[in-house]
Amino acid sequence: MSIFTHWAQIHRITRLVITTRTTEPQAFVYRNGFNQTEVIIHMNAVNNLNQEITNIPSSALLQHSTLLDFVRGDEMVDGTDLPPAARESVWSFSQVDNGFNFEPPTPAGENGDKPSLPVNVNAAVASFFVMCGPLTPARTRQVAAQVSLTNPDAPVGVYQTNLTGTPDFASQVAITALDPIDYSLARNRRVLQGVGSTERTNIVWQSRTGNNPIQERTDGTRTRHYVRITPANGQFRSVENLSGVITDDNIFREFENWNGQQVTGFTGLDSQFPLAVLGRGAQFVPYQVNYWYLNPVSTQISGHYLGQPLTGFNPPACLVFPRLTPDEVIAGNDPGMLVCYKFTVSANNMFPFAWFSAERYGLALRLTDRYGNSGFVSLTLDAVDWFDAPRVL
């Protein structure tokens, strides 16, 4: 045996095959331009003395290999540096794992997780990642391998595993492209609601009636509940908020006199900004304000908001001091989880005063699964019908 030192050391290739990670000759990929299926070239080689060469690095094999169409023998498109638009109508490959390298679930229900690659200590292996653009007309592609040598004494300079390639070296992986999943369609996603739980019961707030003295209360509560948007199986890889962030300045504010001080109608958003802040009240219904977040990791609420009855008293009539610190946030691990922190005080017939709920900005999300399938949804959150659970369209 001989330890690898440089590529020109290779005199002859004795074994060259292309397989999947499972060594099966077939694979699947979603036709969305992002999902990748991994194909692997295995090579054994000898030097001029017919000694088997060991420890050939993958980087060396990658530098001197490419992928071919098994039937036609032409090279596939290297899409590594192509923009997404240029990959839309072609089959292409890359030497880079883009993070969507998961094979679609099999008919038996396997989840596409990558198994361990069988080890051949003397074989060089190199991975390529094949993609299929959404406008590609061909739904199948048979992929073969090509490896080029640089040794001037090599009897064969280029080895190919395609149908008309190097004799006795034919091998291929047949890849089938599946239609992408469009998560803009309601049938391709699920919306699950979690049961709320009381997290805190000592929220401080103040109230006043007409010209009577201000009373301080400590019976406010904070509860937490969630809504999850998921694909049919598992969870989304990412959920992107396309609506921008809600800050104090997004919520209309006015200065009001409270106990001799000028205070704004609303303040207190910090750290990770919410999707929406909603407030509502009604006769015989406590004054409630909901803070909606997308998969919060660390957030802080520390400020105040005003409330006023529709009739009867000089405004404003209550001042609430909600509080939520980062260490009180339950870190989420589901990108599609919408979390609501609800603050409630025992003041009936009370409504937001000197600030407006922020749902008027509209909400749009882009959902992407582990395979690169994506879609867009719009959310409705308002103070009437969609206060404690969003409408998902």
Side-chain angles (χ1 to χ4, degrees):
M1 291 188 179
S2 175
I3 297 178
F4 177 85
T5 58
H6 57 286
W7 189 254
Q9 177 187 2
I10 299 175
H11 177 70
R12 181 169 55 89
I13 294 176
T14 58
R15 174 177 171 267
L16 182 65
V17 296
I18 185 170
T19 72
T20 61
R21 181 168 282 271
T22 63
T23 71
E24 295 293 328
Q26 64 272 339
F28 298 88
V29 67
Y30 281 113
R31 190 169 55 95
N32 58 29
F34 293 96
N35 187 210
Q36 297 177 323
T37 190
E38 185 179 13
V39 296
I40 302 171
I41 297 175
H42 308 251
M43 182 193 75
N44 292 79
V46 297
N47 61 15
N48 289 8
L49 300 177
N50 208 37
Q51 297 171 324
E52 186 166 20
I53 301 172
T54 62
N55 302 105
I56 301 174
S58 296
S59 58
L61 180 54
L62 281 171
Q63 186 178 353
H64 297 279
S65 58
T66 191
L67 299 183
L68 307 174
D69 183 278
F70 179 75
V71 176
R72 299 192 305 267
D74 55 318
E75 289 192 27
M76 289 184 61
V77 175
D78 185 346
T80 303
D81 298 321
L82 290 179
R87 297 198 308 265
E88 285 190 344
S89 59
V90 297
W91 285 85
S92 62
F93 71 85
S94 174
Q95 297 180 4
V96 179
D97 183 340
N98 67 359
F100 296 108
N101 173 29
F102 295 97
E103 189 167 333
T106 66
E110 297 170 1
N111 63 9
D113 287 338
K114 294 178 286 187
S116 298
L117 185 67
V119 176
N120 181 327
V121 294
N122 295 328
V125 295
S127 292
F128 287 82
F129 304 94
V130 179
M131 299 162 286
C132 181
L135 303 180
T136 305
R139 296 301 183 94
T140 60
R141 193 70 186 261
Q142 294 170 277
V143 178
Q146 173 180 294
V147 178
S148 302
L149 302 185
T150 59
N151 188 328
D153 298 323
V156 177
V158 178
Y159 289 77
Q160 299 173 326
T161 71
N162 59 297
L163 189 61
T164 58
T166 310
D168 302 323
F169 278 77
S171 69
Q172 52 97 15
V173 173
I175 304 174
T176 300
L178 306 178
D179 287 336
I181 301 174
D182 183 2
Y183 291 110
S184 300
L185 303 177
R187 67 173 180 267
N188 292 329
R189 61 179 190 262
R190 297 186 300 171
V191 179
L192 309 173
Q193 294 190 36
V195 179
S197 60
T198 301
E199 295 187 318
R200 191 173 175 185
T201 58
N202 58 343
I203 303 299
V204 177
W205 62 290
Q206 297 174 347
S207 66
R208 73 181 183 189
T209 304
N211 295 322
N212 295 326
I214 289 175
Q215 296 182 346
E216 183 162 299
R217 310 277 293 274
T218 59
D219 60 355
T221 63
R222 185 183 77 224
T223 59
R224 177 184 184 271
H225 66 272
Y226 67 87
V227 173
R228 291 181 63 212
I229 305 175
T230 72
N233 295 299
Q235 64 186 44
F236 286 109
R237 181 178 186 267
S238 66
V239 176
E240 182 182 358
N241 174 20
L242 304 179
S243 307
V245 298
I246 300 298
T247 68
D248 286 345
D249 292 333
N250 294 130
I251 299 173
F252 182 81
R253 300 182 299 165
E254 295 177 349
F255 283 93
E256 295 295 330
N257 184 284
W258 185 265
N259 198 25
Q261 295 183 347
Q262 292 292 306
V263 298
T264 58
F266 181 98
T267 187
L269 300 182
D270 190 15
S271 187
Q272 183 171 318
F273 299 111
L275 292 171
V277 179
L278 315 171
R280 78 171 180 184
Q283 190 175 16
F284 309 120
V285 176
Y287 184 24
Q288 305 172 47
V289 174
N290 285 354
Y291 294 73
W292 281 96
Y293 289 87
L294 177 62
N295 190 31
V297 176
S298 176
T299 189
Q300 180 172 317
I301 300 169
S302 182
H304 64 259
Y305 56 81
L306 292 168
Q308 171 205 5
L310 288 182
T311 59
F313 302 115
N314 295 324
C318 77
L319 182 68
V320 185
F321 300 94
R323 184 175 180 273
L324 176 69
T325 60
D327 61 302
E328 293 177 298
V329 177
I330 300 175
N333 59 3
D334 184 346
M337 180 175 288
L338 306 176
V339 179
C340 174
Y341 291 97
K342 176 191 290 290
F343 294 87
T344 304
V345 296
S346 56
N348 295 344
N349 196 32
M350 198 72 62
F351 296 84
F353 179 73
W355 66 278
F356 291 141
S357 296
E359 80 278 2
R360 70 185 189 279
Y361 293 99
L363 297 170
L365 305 178
R366 174 164 41 215
L367 317 172
T368 304
D369 68 14
R370 70 194 305 221
Y371 309 106
N373 298 308
S374 63
F376 300 89
V377 298
S378 61
L379 303 180
T380 298
L381 281 165
D382 61 34
V384 183
D385 298 320
W386 309 102
F387 188 64
D388 287 332
R391 183 186 185 191
V392 183
L393 298 174

Short mmCIF file of all heavy atoms in Angstrom, two decimals, residues 295-326:
data_model
loop_
_atom_site.label_atom_id
_atom_site.label_comp_id
_atom_site.label_asym_id
_atom_site.label_seq_id
_atom_site.Cartn_x
_atom_site.Cartn_y
_atom_site.Cartn_z
N ASN A 295 -42.40 32.50 18.03
CA ASN A 295 -41.36 31.67 18.63
C ASN A 295 -40.38 32.48 19.47
O ASN A 295 -39.18 32.55 19.15
CB ASN A 295 -40.60 30.90 17.54
CG ASN A 295 -39.67 29.84 18.13
OD1 ASN A 295 -39.96 29.27 19.18
ND2 ASN A 295 -38.57 29.59 17.47
N PRO A 296 -40.83 33.12 20.53
CA PRO A 296 -39.93 33.98 21.30
C PRO A 296 -38.81 33.18 21.97
O PRO A 296 -39.02 32.07 22.45
CB PRO A 296 -40.85 34.60 22.35
CG PRO A 296 -41.95 33.62 22.51
CD PRO A 296 -42.16 33.03 21.15
N VAL A 297 -37.63 33.75 21.94
CA VAL A 297 -36.48 33.15 22.60
C VAL A 297 -36.12 33.98 23.83
O VAL A 297 -35.87 33.45 24.91
CB VAL A 297 -35.29 33.06 21.64
CG1 VAL A 297 -34.06 32.54 22.37
CG2 VAL A 297 -35.63 32.15 20.46
N SER A 298 -36.11 35.27 23.67
CA SER A 298 -35.82 36.16 24.79
C SER A 298 -36.51 37.49 24.52
O SER A 298 -36.28 38.10 23.47
CB SER A 298 -34.30 36.38 24.95
OG SER A 298 -34.03 37.30 25.97
N THR A 299 -37.37 37.88 25.41
CA THR A 299 -38.08 39.14 25.20
C THR A 299 -38.31 39.81 26.54
O THR A 299 -38.16 39.19 27.60
CB THR A 299 -39.42 38.90 24.48
OG1 THR A 299 -39.98 40.16 24.11
CG2 THR A 299 -40.41 38.16 25.37
N GLN A 300 -38.70 41.06 26.49
CA GLN A 300 -38.92 41.82 27.72
C GLN A 300 -40.08 42.78 27.51
O GLN A 300 -40.16 43.45 26.48
CB GLN A 300 -37.66 42.59 28.10
CG GLN A 300 -37.81 43.40 29.38
CD GLN A 300 -36.48 44.00 29.84
OE1 GLN A 300 -35.46 43.33 29.81
NE2 GLN A 300 -36.51 45.24 30.25
N ILE A 301 -40.99 42.81 28.47
CA ILE A 301 -42.07 43.79 28.51
C ILE A 301 -41.96 44.50 29.85
O ILE A 301 -42.00 43.86 30.89
CB ILE A 301 -43.44 43.11 28.39
CG1 ILE A 301 -43.57 42.34 27.07
CG2 ILE A 301 -44.57 44.14 28.50
CD1 ILE A 301 -44.79 41.44 27.01
N SER A 302 -41.77 45.77 29.81
CA SER A 302 -41.65 46.52 31.05
C SER A 302 -42.05 47.97 30.77
O SER A 302 -41.25 48.76 30.25
CB SER A 302 -40.21 46.46 31.59
OG SER A 302 -40.11 47.15 32.81
N GLY A 303 -43.27 48.29 31.05
CA GLY A 303 -43.76 49.64 30.78
C GLY A 303 -45.15 49.82 31.36
O GLY A 303 -45.40 49.46 32.50
N HIS A 304 -46.04 50.35 30.53
CA HIS A 304 -47.40 50.57 31.01
C HIS A 304 -48.33 50.74 29.81
O HIS A 304 -47.88 50.99 28.69
CB HIS A 304 -47.48 51.80 31.92
CG HIS A 304 -47.15 53.07 31.20
ND1 HIS A 304 -45.93 53.68 31.30
CD2 HIS A 304 -47.89 53.85 30.35
CE1 HIS A 304 -45.91 54.77 30.55
NE2 HIS A 304 -47.08 54.90 29.97
N TYR A 305 -49.62 50.63 30.08
CA TYR A 305 -50.62 51.04 29.08
C TYR A 305 -51.85 51.55 29.81
O TYR A 305 -52.13 51.19 30.96
CB TYR A 305 -50.97 49.90 28.11
CG TYR A 305 -51.45 48.62 28.74
CD1 TYR A 305 -52.78 48.46 29.15
CD2 TYR A 305 -50.59 47.53 28.88
CE1 TYR A 305 -53.22 47.28 29.72
CE2 TYR A 305 -51.02 46.34 29.44
CZ TYR A 305 -52.34 46.22 29.85
OH TYR A 305 -52.77 45.05 30.40
N LEU A 306 -52.57 52.43 29.13
CA LEU A 306 -53.74 53.09 29.71
C LEU A 306 -55.03 52.42 29.26
O LEU A 306 -55.08 51.77 28.21
CB LEU A 306 -53.77 54.56 29.28
CG LEU A 306 -52.67 55.47 29.85
CD1 LEU A 306 -52.67 56.80 29.12
CD2 LEU A 306 -52.88 55.68 31.34
N GLY A 307 -56.06 52.59 30.07
CA GLY A 307 -57.38 52.12 29.72
C GLY A 307 -58.42 53.11 30.14
O GLY A 307 -58.23 53.89 31.09
N GLN A 308 -59.55 53.09 29.42
CA GLN A 308 -60.61 54.06 29.69
C GLN A 308 -61.96 53.43 29.37
O GLN A 308 -62.10 52.75 28.34
CB GLN A 308 -60.42 55.30 28.81
CG GLN A 308 -61.59 56.27 28.88
CD GLN A 308 -61.70 57.14 27.64
OE1 GLN A 308 -60.95 56.95 26.69
NE2 GLN A 308 -62.63 58.08 27.64
N PRO A 309 -62.98 53.63 30.22
CA PRO A 309 -64.33 53.20 29.84
C PRO A 309 -64.87 54.09 28.73
O PRO A 309 -64.43 55.22 28.56
CB PRO A 309 -65.13 53.34 31.13
CG PRO A 309 -64.34 54.23 32.00
CD PRO A 309 -62.92 54.19 31.54
N LEU A 310 -65.78 53.53 27.96
CA LEU A 310 -66.32 54.32 26.86
C LEU A 310 -67.07 55.55 27.35
O LEU A 310 -67.06 56.60 26.73
CB LEU A 310 -67.25 53.45 26.00
CG LEU A 310 -66.56 52.39 25.14
CD1 LEU A 310 -67.59 51.64 24.31
CD2 LEU A 310 -65.51 53.01 24.24
N THR A 311 -67.74 55.42 28.48
CA THR A 311 -68.50 56.56 29.03
C THR A 311 -68.38 56.57 30.54
O THR A 311 -68.02 55.57 31.17
CB THR A 311 -70.00 56.44 28.67
OG1 THR A 311 -70.52 55.22 29.20
CG2 THR A 311 -70.22 56.46 27.17
N GLY A 312 -68.63 57.69 31.12
CA GLY A 312 -68.82 57.73 32.55
C GLY A 312 -67.72 58.43 33.34
O GLY A 312 -68.00 59.10 34.32
N PHE A 313 -66.45 58.29 32.96
CA PHE A 313 -65.38 58.86 33.78
C PHE A 313 -64.45 59.71 32.92
O PHE A 313 -64.35 59.54 31.71
CB PHE A 313 -64.56 57.74 34.45
CG PHE A 313 -65.39 56.85 35.33
CD1 PHE A 313 -65.56 55.51 35.00
CD2 PHE A 313 -66.00 57.33 36.48
CE1 PHE A 313 -66.32 54.68 35.80
CE2 PHE A 313 -66.76 56.50 37.28
CZ PHE A 313 -66.94 55.17 36.94
N ASN A 314 -63.77 60.62 33.60
CA ASN A 314 -62.77 61.40 32.89
C ASN A 314 -61.59 60.50 32.54
O ASN A 314 -61.10 59.75 33.39
CB ASN A 314 -62.27 62.56 33.77
CG ASN A 314 -63.38 63.55 34.04
OD1 ASN A 314 -64.22 63.80 33.18
ND2 ASN A 314 -63.38 64.12 35.25
N PRO A 315 -61.12 60.54 31.32
CA PRO A 315 -60.01 59.64 30.93
C PRO A 315 -58.69 60.13 31.51
O PRO A 315 -58.53 61.32 31.76
CB PRO A 315 -60.03 59.74 29.41
CG PRO A 315 -60.58 61.11 29.12
CD PRO A 315 -61.55 61.38 30.21
N PRO A 316 -57.71 59.18 31.65
CA PRO A 316 -57.92 57.73 31.58
C PRO A 316 -58.33 57.19 32.95
O PRO A 316 -58.26 57.91 33.93
CB PRO A 316 -56.54 57.23 31.19
CG PRO A 316 -55.60 58.22 31.81
CD PRO A 316 -56.30 59.56 31.76
N ALA A 317 -58.74 55.94 33.03
CA ALA A 317 -59.28 55.39 34.26
C ALA A 317 -58.40 54.31 34.87
O ALA A 317 -58.58 53.97 36.04
CB ALA A 317 -60.67 54.84 34.02
N CYS A 318 -57.46 53.72 34.12
CA CYS A 318 -56.55 52.75 34.72
C CYS A 318 -55.20 52.78 34.01
O CYS A 318 -55.09 53.14 32.84
CB CYS A 318 -57.14 51.33 34.70
SG CYS A 318 -57.08 50.48 33.14
N LEU A 319 -54.18 52.45 34.77
CA LEU A 319 -52.82 52.40 34.26
C LEU A 319 -52.23 51.06 34.71
O LEU A 319 -52.13 50.78 35.91
CB LEU A 319 -51.99 53.56 34.82
CG LEU A 319 -50.55 53.66 34.34
CD1 LEU A 319 -50.49 54.02 32.87
CD2 LEU A 319 -49.79 54.72 35.15
N VAL A 320 -51.88 50.24 33.74
CA VAL A 320 -51.42 48.87 34.02
C VAL A 320 -49.92 48.80 33.79
O VAL A 320 -49.38 49.37 32.84
CB VAL A 320 -52.15 47.85 33.11
CG1 VAL A 320 -51.75 46.43 33.49
CG2 VAL A 320 -53.65 48.03 33.22
N PHE A 321 -49.23 48.06 34.67
CA PHE A 321 -47.78 47.89 34.56
C PHE A 321 -47.45 46.42 34.27
O PHE A 321 -47.12 45.66 35.17
CB PHE A 321 -47.10 48.33 35.86
CG PHE A 321 -47.35 49.76 36.22
CD1 PHE A 321 -48.38 50.11 37.08
CD2 PHE A 321 -46.56 50.77 35.70
CE1 PHE A 321 -48.63 51.43 37.43
CE2 PHE A 321 -46.79 52.11 36.03
CZ PHE A 321 -47.83 52.44 36.89
N PRO A 322 -47.56 46.00 33.01
CA PRO A 322 -47.21 44.61 32.68
C PRO A 322 -45.71 44.42 32.78
O PRO A 322 -44.92 45.35 32.60
CB PRO A 322 -47.69 44.46 31.24
CG PRO A 322 -47.58 45.84 30.68
CD PRO A 322 -47.92 46.76 31.82
N ARG A 323 -45.30 43.21 33.08
CA ARG A 323 -43.86 42.94 33.21
C ARG A 323 -43.58 41.52 32.74
O ARG A 323 -44.26 40.58 33.12
CB ARG A 323 -43.40 43.12 34.66
CG ARG A 323 -41.91 42.94 34.86
CD ARG A 323 -41.53 43.26 36.32
NE ARG A 323 -40.09 43.11 36.52
CZ ARG A 323 -39.49 41.98 36.84
NH1 ARG A 323 -40.24 40.87 36.98
NH2 ARG A 323 -38.20 41.90 37.02
N LEU A 324 -42.57 41.39 31.92
CA LEU A 324 -42.09 40.08 31.47
C LEU A 324 -40.59 40.22 31.22
O LEU A 324 -40.16 41.04 30.43
CB LEU A 324 -42.79 39.65 30.18
CG LEU A 324 -42.33 38.34 29.54
CD1 LEU A 324 -42.75 37.16 30.40
CD2 LEU A 324 -42.91 38.19 28.14
N THR A 325 -39.80 39.45 31.94
CA THR A 325 -38.35 39.51 31.79
C THR A 325 -37.86 38.33 30.96
O THR A 325 -38.54 37.30 30.84
CB THR A 325 -37.66 39.49 33.16
OG1 THR A 325 -38.01 38.28 33.84
CG2 THR A 325 -38.09 40.69 33.99
N PRO A 326 -36.67 38.44 30.36
CA PRO A 326 -36.18 37.35 29.50
C PRO A 326 -36.11 36.00 30.20
O PRO A 326 -36.37 34.97 29.57
CB PRO A 326 -34.79 37.84 29.09
CG PRO A 326 -34.89 39.33 29.13
CD PRO A 326 -35.80 39.62 30.29
#
